[in-house]
Amino acid sequence: MAEQKREWSFGKHHIWLEPPDVLVVKYDGDVRLEDARRVMEIFQEVGSQTPFHALIHFGEANMEKDARAHMMQHARAEWFKGIVGVGGNMVQRAVSKTMMVALYITGKWTVESDFVETEEQARAAITRQRTKRLNSAA
């Protein structure tokens, strides 16, 4: 039996699971605290069943300070196999990288993350992350 595609929409944002383990996030517009709460709920729902690769399309979204704080406080490394950010401007990438560094400093975060320009590059980054995980498990 084929696994059903799961999807979530809230505001102008959209998330869907591509079986077996890629969760695609497309932000459309600013990410507010209520959006960050919903994203974390979805990450927890999916990640508590099986870890996933998050493929996050930034678009023109800006994440509000309280939304960033909420995500940093509630994200759990065990939910993720890896994270790949697609697109975004220099500010968005700097903010995202700063969030990743802050999580690494806590010592609780070991999730590999990449930032790329295109969907094709994102898919290739996920393949590299998978290969790296398999090689390190061997």
Side-chain angles (χ1 to χ4, degrees), residues 69-113:
H70 181 80
M71 287 186 156
M72 288 181 58
Q73 182 178 7
H74 295 283
R76 301 290 174 259
E78 62 267 16
W79 298 339
F80 300 92
K81 291 181 177 178
I83 299 173
V84 180
V86 181
N89 60 39
M90 216 166 51
V91 172
Q92 291 165 312
R93 285 182 177 219
V95 167
S96 295
K97 287 179 183 181
T98 300
M99 288 172 66
M100 292 290 110
V101 168
L103 287 167
Y104 280 111
I105 289 171
T106 67
K108 299 181 223 171
W109 195 261
T110 57
V111 179
E112 184 172 357
S113 60

